[in-house]
Coordinates of all heavy atoms in Angstrom, one line a residue:
M153 N -18.5 8.2 -10.1 CA -17.2 8.0 -9.5 C -16.2 7.8 -10.5 O -16.3 6.8 -11.3 CB -17.3 6.9 -8.5 CG -17.1 7.3 -7.0 SD -17.1 5.9 -6.0 CE -16.0 6.5 -4.8
N154 N -15.2 8.6 -10.6 CA -14.1 8.3 -11.6 C -13.1 7.4 -11.0 O -13.1 7.1 -9.8 CB -13.5 9.7 -12.0 CG -12.9 10.5 -10.9 OD1 -12.7 10.0 -9.8 ND2 -12.7 11.8 -11.2
P155 N -12.2 6.9 -11.8 CA -11.2 5.9 -11.3 C -10.3 6.5 -10.2 O -9.8 5.8 -9.3 CB -10.3 5.6 -12.6 CG -11.3 5.9 -13.7 CD -12.1 7.0 -13.3
K156 N -10.0 7.8 -10.2 CA -9.2 8.4 -9.2 C -9.8 8.3 -7.8 O -9.2 8.0 -6.8 CB -8.9 9.9 -9.6 CG -7.9 10.5 -8.6 CD -7.6 11.9 -9.1 CE -6.7 12.6 -8.2 NZ -6.3 14.0 -8.6
D157 N -11.2 8.5 -7.8 CA -11.9 8.4 -6.5 C -11.9 7.0 -6.0 O -11.9 6.7 -4.8 CB -13.3 9.0 -6.7 CG -13.4 10.5 -6.9 OD1 -12.4 11.2 -6.5 OD2 -14.4 10.9 -7.5
I158 N -12.1 6.1 -6.9 CA -12.1 4.6 -6.6 C -10.8 4.2 -6.0 O -10.7 3.5 -5.0 CB -12.5 3.8 -7.8 CG1 -14.0 4.1 -8.2 CG2 -12.4 2.3 -7.5 CD1 -14.4 3.5 -9.5
F159 N -9.7 4.7 -6.6 CA -8.3 4.4 -6.1 C -8.1 5.0 -4.8 O -7.6 4.3 -3.9 CB -7.3 4.9 -7.1 CG -5.9 4.6 -6.7 CD1 -5.4 3.3 -6.9 CD2 -5.1 5.5 -6.2 CE1 -4.1 3.0 -6.5 CE2 -3.8 5.3 -5.8 CZ -3.3 4.0 -6.0
N160 N -8.6 6.2 -4.6 CA -8.5 6.8 -3.3 C -9.3 6.1 -2.2 O -8.8 5.9 -1.1 CB -9.0 8.3 -3.4 CG -8.5 9.1 -2.2 OD1 -7.8 8.7 -1.4 ND2 -9.0 10.4 -2.2
L161 N -10.4 5.6 -2.5 CA -11.2 4.8 -1.6 C -10.5 3.5 -1.3 O -10.5 3.1 -0.1 CB -12.6 4.5 -2.2 CG -13.5 3.7 -1.3 CD1 -13.9 4.4 0.0 CD2 -14.8 3.3 -2.1
A162 N -9.9 2.9 -2.3 CA -9.2 1.6 -2.0 C -8.0 1.8 -1.1 O -7.7 1.0 -0.2 CB -8.8 1.0 -3.4
V163 N -7.3 2.9 -1.3 CA -6.1 3.3 -0.5 C -6.6 3.4 1.0 O -6.0 2.9 1.9 CB -5.4 4.5 -1.0 CG1 -4.5 5.1 0.0 CG2 -4.7 4.2 -2.3
R164 N -7.7 4.1 1.2 CA -8.2 4.3 2.5 C -8.7 3.0 3.2 O -8.5 2.8 4.4 CB -9.3 5.4 2.5 CG -8.7 6.8 2.2 CD -9.8 7.8 2.1 NE -9.3 9.0 1.6 CZ -9.0 10.1 2.3 NH1 -9.2 10.1 3.6 NH2 -8.5 11.2 1.8
L165 N -9.3 2.1 2.4 CA -9.7 0.8 2.9 C -8.4 0.0 3.3 O -8.5 -0.7 4.3 CB -10.5 0.1 1.9 CG -11.9 0.7 1.7 CD1 -12.7 -0.1 0.6 CD2 -12.7 0.6 3.0
F166 N -7.4 0.1 2.5 CA -6.1 -0.6 2.9 C -5.6 0.0 4.2 O -5.0 -0.7 5.0 CB -5.1 -0.6 1.8 CG -5.2 -1.7 0.8 CD1 -5.5 -1.4 -0.5 CD2 -5.0 -3.0 1.2 CE1 -5.6 -2.5 -1.4 CE2 -5.2 -4.0 0.3 CZ -5.5 -3.8 -1.0
G167 N -5.8 1.3 4.4 CA -5.4 1.9 5.6 C -6.1 1.4 6.8 O -5.5 1.1 7.9
L168 N -7.4 1.1 6.6 CA -8.2 0.5 7.7 C -7.7 -0.9 8.0 O -7.6 -1.4 9.1 CB -9.7 0.5 7.3 CG -10.4 1.8 7.5 CD1 -11.8 1.6 7.0 CD2 -10.4 2.2 9.0
Y169 N -7.3 -1.6 6.9 CA -6.8 -3.0 7.1 C -5.5 -3.0 7.8 O -5.3 -3.8 8.7 CB -6.6 -3.6 5.7 CG -6.0 -5.0 5.7 CD1 -6.7 -6.1 6.3 CD2 -4.7 -5.3 5.3 CE1 -6.2 -7.4 6.3 CE2 -4.2 -6.5 5.4 CZ -4.9 -7.6 5.9 OH -4.3 -8.8 5.9
F170 N -4.6 -2.0 7.5 CA -3.3 -1.9 8.3 C -3.6 -1.6 9.7 O -2.9 -2.1 10.6 CB -2.4 -0.9 7.6 CG -1.6 -1.5 6.5 CD1 -1.9 -1.1 5.2 CD2 -0.5 -2.3 6.7 CE1 -1.1 -1.7 4.1 CE2 0.2 -2.9 5.7 CZ -0.1 -2.5 4.4
L171 N -4.6 -0.8 10.0 CA -4.9 -0.5 11.4 C -5.4 -1.7 12.1 O -5.2 -1.9 13.3 CB -5.8 0.7 11.5 CG -5.2 2.1 11.2 CD1 -6.3 3.1 11.4 CD2 -4.0 2.3 12.1
F172 N -6.2 -2.5 11.4 CA -6.7 -3.8 12.0 C -5.5 -4.7 12.3 O -5.4 -5.4 13.4 CB -7.6 -4.5 11.0 CG -8.0 -5.9 11.4 CD1 -8.9 -6.1 12.4 CD2 -7.4 -7.0 10.8 CE1 -9.2 -7.4 12.8 CE2 -7.7 -8.3 11.2 CZ -8.6 -8.5 12.2
L173 N -4.5 -4.8 11.4 CA -3.3 -5.6 11.7 C -2.5 -5.0 12.9 O -2.0 -5.8 13.6 CB -2.4 -5.6 10.4 CG -2.9 -6.4 9.2 CD1 -2.0 -6.2 8.0 CD2 -3.1 -7.8 9.5
A174 N -2.5 -3.7 13.0 CA -1.9 -3.1 14.2 C -2.6 -3.5 15.5 O -1.9 -3.9 16.5 CB -1.8 -1.6 14.1
I175 N -3.9 -3.5 15.5 CA -4.6 -4.0 16.7 C -4.3 -5.4 17.0 O -4.2 -5.8 18.1 CB -6.1 -3.7 16.5 CG1 -6.4 -2.2 16.4 CG2 -7.0 -4.4 17.5 CD1 -7.8 -1.8 16.0
S176 N -4.2 -6.3 16.0 CA -3.9 -7.7 16.2 C -2.5 -7.8 16.8 O -2.2 -8.7 17.6 CB -3.9 -8.4 14.8 OG -5.2 -8.4 14.3
S177 N -1.6 -7.0 16.3 CA -0.2 -7.0 16.9 C -0.2 -6.5 18.3 O 0.6 -7.1 19.2 CB 0.7 -6.1 16.1 OG 0.9 -6.6 14.8
V178 N -1.0 -5.6 18.7 CA -1.1 -5.1 20.1 C -1.6 -6.2 21.0 O -1.2 -6.4 22.1 CB -1.9 -3.8 20.2 CG1 -2.3 -3.5 21.6 CG2 -1.2 -2.7 19.5
A179 N -2.6 -7.0 20.4 CA -3.1 -8.1 21.2 C -2.0 -9.1 21.5 O -1.9 -9.7 22.6 CB -4.2 -8.8 20.4
V180 N -1.1 -9.3 20.6 CA 0.1 -10.2 20.8 C 1.0 -9.7 21.9 O 1.5 -10.4 22.7 CB 0.8 -10.5 19.5 CG1 2.1 -11.2 19.7 CG2 0.0 -11.3 18.5
I181 N 1.2 -8.4 21.9 CA 2.1 -7.7 22.9 C 1.5 -8.0 24.3 O 2.3 -8.3 25.2 CB 2.2 -6.2 22.6 CG1 2.9 -6.0 21.3 CG2 2.9 -5.5 23.7 CD1 2.8 -4.5 20.8
F182 N 0.2 -7.8 24.5 CA -0.3 -8.0 25.8 C -0.6 -9.5 26.2 O -1.0 -9.7 27.3 CB -1.6 -7.2 25.9 CG -1.4 -5.7 26.0 CD1 -2.0 -4.9 25.0 CD2 -0.6 -5.2 26.9 CE1 -1.8 -3.6 25.0 CE2 -0.4 -3.8 27.0 CZ -1.0 -3.0 26.0
S183 N -0.3 -10.4 25.3 CA -0.5 -11.8 25.6 C 0.6 -12.3 26.6 O 0.4 -13.4 27.1 CB -0.6 -12.6 24.4 OG 0.7 -12.7 23.7
G184 N 1.7 -11.6 26.7 CA 2.7 -12.0 27.7 C 3.7 -13.0 27.2 O 4.2 -13.9 27.9
I185 N 4.0 -13.0 25.9 CA 5.0 -13.9 25.3 C 6.4 -13.3 25.6 O 6.5 -12.2 26.1 CB 4.7 -14.1 23.8 CG1 3.3 -14.7 23.7 CG2 5.7 -15.1 23.2 CD1 2.9 -14.9 22.2
S186 N 7.4 -14.0 25.2 CA 8.8 -13.6 25.6 C 9.2 -12.2 25.1 O 8.5 -11.6 24.3 CB 9.8 -14.6 24.9 OG 9.7 -14.4 23.5
A187 N 10.2 -11.6 25.8 CA 10.5 -10.2 25.6 C 11.0 -9.9 24.1 O 10.7 -8.9 23.6 CB 11.7 -9.8 26.5
G188 N 11.8 -10.8 23.5 CA 12.2 -10.6 22.2 C 11.1 -10.6 21.2 O 11.0 -9.8 20.2
F189 N 10.1 -11.5 21.4 CA 9.0 -11.6 20.5 C 8.1 -10.4 20.7 O 7.6 -9.8 19.7 CB 8.2 -12.9 20.8 CG 7.1 -13.1 19.8 CD1 7.4 -13.5 18.5 CD2 5.8 -12.8 20.2 CE1 6.3 -13.7 17.6 CE2 4.7 -13.0 19.2 CZ 5.0 -13.5 18.0
S190 N 7.9 -9.9 21.9 CA 7.1 -8.7 22.1 C 7.7 -7.4 21.5 O 7.0 -6.6 21.1 CB 6.8 -8.5 23.6 OG 8.0 -8.1 24.3
M191 N 9.1 -7.3 21.5 CA 9.7 -6.2 20.9 C 9.5 -6.2 19.4 O 9.2 -5.1 18.8 CB 11.2 -6.2 21.2 CG 12.0 -5.0 20.7 SD 11.3 -3.5 21.5 CE 12.2 -2.3 20.7
R192 N 9.5 -7.3 18.8 CA 9.2 -7.4 17.4 C 7.8 -7.1 17.1 O 7.5 -6.4 16.1 CB 9.6 -8.8 16.9 CG 9.4 -9.0 15.4 CD 9.9 -10.3 14.9 NE 9.7 -11.4 15.9 CZ 10.0 -12.6 15.7 NH1 10.5 -13.0 14.6 NH2 9.8 -13.5 16.7
A193 N 6.9 -7.5 18.0 CA 5.5 -7.2 17.8 C 5.2 -5.7 18.0 O 4.4 -5.1 17.3 CB 4.7 -8.0 18.9
I194 N 6.0 -5.0 18.9 CA 5.9 -3.6 19.1 C 6.3 -2.9 17.8 O 5.6 -1.9 17.4 CB 6.7 -3.1 20.3 CG1 6.0 -3.6 21.6 CG2 6.8 -1.6 20.3 CD1 6.9 -3.4 22.8
L195 N 7.4 -3.3 17.2 CA 7.9 -2.6 16.0 C 6.9 -2.9 14.8 O 6.7 -2.0 14.0 CB 9.3 -3.2 15.6 CG 10.4 -2.7 16.6 CD1 11.7 -3.4 16.2 CD2 10.5 -1.2 16.6
T196 N 6.4 -4.1 14.8 CA 5.4 -4.4 13.8 C 4.1 -3.5 13.9 O 3.6 -3.0 12.9 CB 5.0 -5.9 13.8 OG1 6.2 -6.7 13.7 CG2 4.0 -6.3 12.7
A197 N 3.7 -3.4 15.2 CA 2.5 -2.6 15.4 C 2.8 -1.1 15.0 O 1.9 -0.5 14.4 CB 2.1 -2.7 16.9
A198 N 3.9 -0.6 15.4 CA 4.3 0.8 15.0 C 4.3 1.0 13.5 O 3.8 2.0 13.0 CB 5.6 1.2 15.7
F199 N 4.9 0.0 12.8 CA 4.9 0.1 11.4 C 3.5 0.1 10.8 O 3.2 0.9 9.9 CB 5.7 -1.1 10.8 CG 5.7 -1.2 9.3 CD1 6.4 -0.4 8.5 CD2 4.9 -2.2 8.7 CE1 6.4 -0.4 7.1 CE2 4.8 -2.3 7.3 CZ 5.6 -1.4 6.5
F200 N 2.6 -0.9 11.2 CA 1.3 -0.9 10.7 C 0.5 0.3 11.1 O -0.3 0.8 10.3 CB 0.6 -2.2 11.3 CG 1.0 -3.4 10.6 CD1 1.0 -4.6 11.4 CD2 1.4 -3.5 9.3 CE1 1.4 -5.8 10.8 CE2 1.8 -4.7 8.7 CZ 1.8 -5.8 9.5
I201 N 0.7 0.9 12.3 CA 0.0 2.1 12.6 C 0.4 3.3 11.7 O -0.4 4.1 11.2 CB 0.2 2.5 14.1 CG1 -0.6 1.5 15.0 CG2 -0.2 3.9 14.4 CD1 -0.2 1.6 16.5
G202 N 1.7 3.4 11.5 CA 2.3 4.4 10.6 C 1.7 4.3 9.2 O 1.2 5.3 8.6
I203 N 1.8 3.2 8.6 CA 1.3 3.0 7.3 C -0.2 3.2 7.2 O -0.7 3.8 6.3 CB 1.7 1.6 6.7 CG1 3.2 1.5 6.6 CG2 1.0 1.3 5.4 CD1 3.8 2.4 5.6
G204 N -0.9 2.6 8.2 CA -2.4 2.8 8.2 C -2.8 4.2 8.3 O -3.7 4.7 7.6
W205 N -2.2 5.0 9.2 CA -2.5 6.4 9.4 C -2.2 7.2 8.2 O -3.0 8.0 7.8 CB -1.7 6.9 10.6 CG -2.2 8.2 11.1 CD1 -1.6 9.4 10.7 CD2 -3.2 8.5 11.9 NE1 -2.3 10.4 11.3 CE2 -3.3 9.9 12.1 CE3 -4.1 7.7 12.6 CZ2 -4.3 10.5 12.9 CZ3 -5.1 8.3 13.4 CH2 -5.1 9.7 13.6
W206 N -1.1 6.9 7.5 CA -0.8 7.6 6.3 C -1.8 7.3 5.2 O -2.2 8.2 4.4 CB 0.7 7.2 5.8 CG 1.1 7.8 4.5 CD1 1.3 9.1 4.3 CD2 1.4 7.1 3.3 NE1 1.8 9.3 3.0 CE2 1.8 8.1 2.4 CE3 1.3 5.8 3.0 CZ2 2.1 7.7 1.1 CZ3 1.7 5.4 1.7 CH2 2.1 6.4 0.8
M207 N -2.2 6.1 5.1 CA -3.1 5.7 4.0 C -4.5 6.2 4.3 O -5.2 6.6 3.4 CB -3.1 4.2 3.8 CG -1.9 3.6 3.2 SD -1.9 1.9 3.0 CE -2.3 1.8 1.2
L208 N -4.9 6.3 5.6 CA -6.2 6.8 5.9 C -6.2 8.3 5.6 O -7.3 8.9 5.3 CB -6.5 6.6 7.4 CG -7.2 5.3 7.7 CD1 -7.4 5.2 9.2 CD2 -8.5 5.1 7.0
G209 N -5.1 9.0 5.7 CA -5.0 10.4 5.4 C -5.0 10.7 3.9 O -5.0 11.9 3.5
G210 N -5.0 9.7 3.1 CA -5.2 9.9 1.7 C -3.9 9.5 0.9 O -4.0 9.3 -0.3
A211 N -2.8 9.3 1.5 CA -1.5 8.9 0.9 C -1.3 9.7 -0.4 O -1.3 9.2 -1.5 CB -1.6 7.4 0.6
S212 N -1.1 11.0 -0.2 CA -1.0 11.9 -1.3 C 0.2 11.5 -2.3 O 0.0 11.7 -3.5 CB -0.8 13.3 -0.8 OG 0.4 13.5 -0.1
L213 N 1.3 11.0 -1.8 CA 2.4 10.7 -2.7 C 2.0 9.5 -3.5 O 2.3 9.4 -4.7 CB 3.6 10.3 -1.8 CG 4.3 11.4 -1.1 CD1 5.4 10.9 -0.2 CD2 4.8 12.5 -2.0
L214 N 1.3 8.5 -3.0 CA 0.8 7.4 -3.7 C -0.2 7.8 -4.8 O -0.2 7.3 -5.9 CB 0.2 6.3 -2.8 CG -0.1 5.0 -3.4 CD1 1.1 4.3 -3.9 CD2 -0.7 4.1 -2.3
L215 N -1.1 8.7 -4.4 CA -2.1 9.2 -5.3 C -1.5 10.0 -6.5 O -1.9 9.8 -7.6 CB -3.2 10.0 -4.6 CG -4.4 10.4 -5.3 CD1 -5.2 9.1 -5.7 CD2 -5.3 11.3 -4.5
Q216 N -0.5 10.8 -6.2 CA 0.2 11.5 -7.2 C 1.0 10.6 -8.2 O 1.1 10.9 -9.3 CB 1.1 12.6 -6.6 CG 0.5 13.8 -6.1 CD 1.4 14.8 -5.5 OE1 2.6 14.4 -5.3 NE2 1.0 16.0 -5.3
R217 N 1.5 9.5 -7.6 CA 2.2 8.6 -8.4 C 1.3 7.8 -9.4 O 1.6 7.6 -10.5 CB 2.9 7.6 -7.5 CG 3.7 6.6 -8.3 CD 5.0 7.2 -8.8 NE 5.8 6.1 -9.3 CZ 6.7 6.3 -10.3 NH1 7.0 7.4 -10.7 NH2 7.4 5.2 -10.7
A218 N 0.1 7.5 -8.9 CA -0.9 6.8 -9.7 C -1.6 7.7 -10.7 O -1.9 7.2 -11.8 CB -1.9 6.1 -8.8
Y219 N -1.9 8.9 -10.3 CA -2.6 9.8 -11.2 C -1.9 11.2 -11.2 O -2.3 12.1 -10.5 CB -4.1 10.0 -10.7 CG -4.9 8.8 -10.9 CD1 -5.1 7.9 -9.8 CD2 -5.4 8.5 -12.1 CE1 -5.8 6.8 -10.0 CE2 -6.2 7.3 -12.3 CZ -6.4 6.5 -11.2 OH -7.1 5.3 -11.4
P220 N -0.8 11.3 -11.9 CA 0.0 12.5 -11.9 C -0.8 13.7 -12.6 O -1.6 13.4 -13.5 CB 1.2 12.2 -12.7 CG 0.8 11.0 -13.6 CD -0.2 10.3 -12.8
T221 N -0.6 14.9 -12.1 CA -1.2 16.0 -12.7 C -0.3 16.5 -13.9 O 0.9 16.1 -14.0 CB -1.3 17.2 -11.7 OG1 0.0 17.5 -11.2 CG2 -2.2 16.8 -10.6
E222 N -0.8 17.4 -14.7 CA 0.0 17.8 -15.9 C 1.2 18.6 -15.4 O 2.2 18.7 -16.1 CB -0.9 18.6 -16.8 CG -1.9 17.8 -17.6 CD -2.6 18.7 -18.6 OE1 -2.1 19.7 -19.0 OE2 -3.7 18.2 -19.0
D223 N 1.1 19.3 -14.3 CA 2.2 20.1 -13.8 C 3.4 19.3 -13.4 O 4.5 19.7 -13.5 CB 1.8 21.0 -12.7 CG 0.7 22.0 -13.1 OD1 0.7 22.4 -14.3 OD2 0.0 22.5 -12.2
S224 N 3.1 18.1 -12.9 CA 4.2 17.3 -12.3 C 4.7 16.2 -13.4 O 5.7 15.5 -13.1 CB 3.7 16.5 -11.1 OG 2.7 15.6 -11.4
Q225 N 4.1 16.2 -14.5 CA 4.5 15.2 -15.5 C 5.8 15.8 -16.2 O 5.9 17.0 -16.4 CB 3.5 14.9 -16.6 CG 2.4 14.1 -16.1 CD 1.3 13.8 -17.1 OE1 1.4 14.4 -18.2 NE2 0.4 12.9 -16.9
Q226 N 6.6 14.9 -16.6 CA 7.8 15.3 -17.4 C 7.5 15.3 -18.8 O 7.0 14.4 -19.4 CB 8.9 14.3 -17.1 CG 10.3 14.7 -17.6 CD 11.3 13.6 -17.2 OE1 11.1 12.5 -17.4 NE2 12.4 14.1 -16.6
T227 N 7.8 16.5 -19.5 CA 7.5 16.6 -20.9 C 8.8 16.6 -21.7 O 9.8 17.2 -21.2 CB 6.7 17.8 -21.2 OG1 7.4 19.0 -20.8 CG2 5.3 17.8 -20.5
N228 N 8.8 16.1 -22.9 CA 9.9 16.1 -23.8 C 9.5 16.6 -25.1 O 8.8 16.0 -25.9 CB 10.5 14.7 -23.9 CG 11.7 14.6 -24.8 OD1 12.2 15.6 -25.3 ND2 12.1 13.4 -25.1
T229 N 9.8 17.9 -25.3 CA 9.4 18.5 -26.6 C 10.6 18.9 -27.4 O 11.6 19.4 -26.8 CB 8.5 19.8 -26.3 OG1 9.2 20.7 -25.5 CG2 7.2 19.4 -25.6
E230 N 10.5 18.8 -28.7 CA 11.6 19.1 -29.5 C 11.4 20.5 -30.1 O 10.4 20.7 -30.8 CB 11.8 18.1 -30.6 CG 13.1 18.1 -31.3 CD 13.3 16.9 -32.2 OE1 12.9 15.8 -31.8 OE2 13.9 17.1 -33.3
V231 N 12.2 21.5 -29.9 CA 12.1 22.8 -30.4 C 13.4 23.2 -31.1 O 14.4 23.2 -30.6 CB 11.9 23.8 -29.2 CG1 11.7 25.2 -29.7 CG2 10.7 23.4 -28.4
N232 N 13.2 23.4 -32.4 CA 14.4 23.8 -33.3 C 15.5 22.9 -33.2 O 16.7 23.3 -33.1 CB 14.8 25.3 -33.0 CG 13.8 26.3 -33.2 OD1 12.9 26.1 -34.1 ND2 13.8 27.4 -32.5
G233 N 15.2 21.6 -33.2 CA 16.3 20.6 -33.1 C 16.9 20.4 -31.7 O 17.7 19.5 -31.6
E234 N 16.5 21.1 -30.7 CA 16.9 20.9 -29.4 C 15.9 20.2 -28.5 O 14.7 20.4 -28.8 CB 17.3 22.3 -28.8 CG 18.4 23.0 -29.4 CD 18.7 24.3 -28.8 OE1 18.2 24.5 -27.6 OE2 19.3 25.2 -29.4
V235 N 16.3 19.5 -27.6 CA 15.4 18.8 -26.7 C 15.3 19.6 -25.4 O 16.3 20.0 -24.8 CB 15.9 17.4 -26.4 CG1 15.0 16.7 -25.4 CG2 16.0 16.6 -27.7
S236 N 14.1 19.9 -25.0 CA 13.8 20.6 -23.8 C 13.0 19.8 -22.8 O 12.1 19.1 -23.2 CB 12.9 21.9 -24.2 OG 12.5 22.5 -23.0
Y237 N 13.5 19.7 -21.6 CA 12.8 18.9 -20.6 C 12.2 19.9 -19.5 O 12.8 20.8 -19.1 CB 13.9 18.0 -19.9 CG 14.3 16.9 -20.7 CD1 15.5 17.0 -21.4 CD2 13.6 15.8 -20.8 CE1 16.0 16.0 -22.2 CE2 14.1 14.7 -21.7 CZ 15.3 14.9 -22.3 OH 15.7 13.9 -23.1
K238 N 11.0 19.5 -19.1 CA 10.4 20.2 -18.0 C 10.2 19.2 -16.9 O 9.5 18.2 -17.0 CB 9.0 20.7 -18.5 CG 8.2 21.4 -17.3 CD 6.8 21.8 -17.8 CE 6.0 22.2 -16.6 NZ 4.6 22.3 -16.9
T239 N 10.9 19.5 -15.8 CA 10.9 18.6 -14.7 C 10.5 19.4 -13.5 O 10.7 20.6 -13.3 CB 12.2 17.9 -14.4 OG1 13.2 18.9 -14.2 CG2 12.6 17.0 -15.5
D240 N 9.8 18.7 -12.6 CA 9.3 19.3 -11.3 C 10.0 18.7 -10.2 O 9.7 17.6 -9.8 CB 7.8 19.2 -11.2 CG 7.2 20.1 -10.3 OD1 7.9 21.1 -9.8 OD2 6.0 19.9 -9.9
L241 N 11.1 19.3 -9.7 CA 11.9 18.6 -8.7 C 11.5 19.1 -7.4 O 11.4 19.9 -6.8 CB 13.4 18.9 -8.9 CG 14.0 18.3 -10.2 CD1 15.4 18.8 -10.3 CD2 13.8 16.9 -10.2

């Protein structure tokens, strides 16, 4: 297993943790506490579900940020006294 695979596994495990937090928030919603508190719990649960789902899917933006490919890296090469930049926008 290379470091990229280990990082990807860790991201997916954090995704499971966020889904666990979402389930805990849903339990608070159904406990019947005040309306203002339950609205905050609904928003918290939605946030945790969104982040957890994204991380379980692999979190491609996070993986590219941690382990960029050569195509997406910015290079700075000096050619005939001029500076040339290769950027991937």
Side-chain angles (χ1 to χ4, degrees):
M153 248 182 144
N154 59 15
K156 185 176 180 179
D157 291 337
I158 294 171
F159 182 76
N160 196 5
L161 178 65
V163 165
R164 290 173 191 259
L165 287 175
F166 272 117
L168 283 175
Y169 176 69
F170 275 107
L171 287 180
F172 171 75
L173 291 176
I175 291 170
S176 299
S177 296
V178 170
V180 169
I181 293 168
F182 290 121
S183 67
I185 302 178
S186 69
F189 187 75
S190 68
M191 184 61 181
R192 186 173 32 178
I194 290 170
L195 292 175
T196 302
F199 174 76
F200 286 148
I201 288 171
I203 295 295
W205 191 264
W206 177 67
M207 291 181 99
L208 274 178
S212 61
L213 293 175
L214 187 61
L215 192 62
Q216 284 180 346
R217 181 75 173 156
Y219 293 98
T221 61
E222 288 186 20
D223 294 338
S224 65
Q225 287 182 350
Q226 189 178 49
T227 59
N228 180 6
T229 58
E230 196 170 321
V231 180
N232 297 331
E234 296 180 16
V235 176
S236 170
Y237 289 97
K238 176 185 171 191
T239 58
D240 198 12
L241 298 176

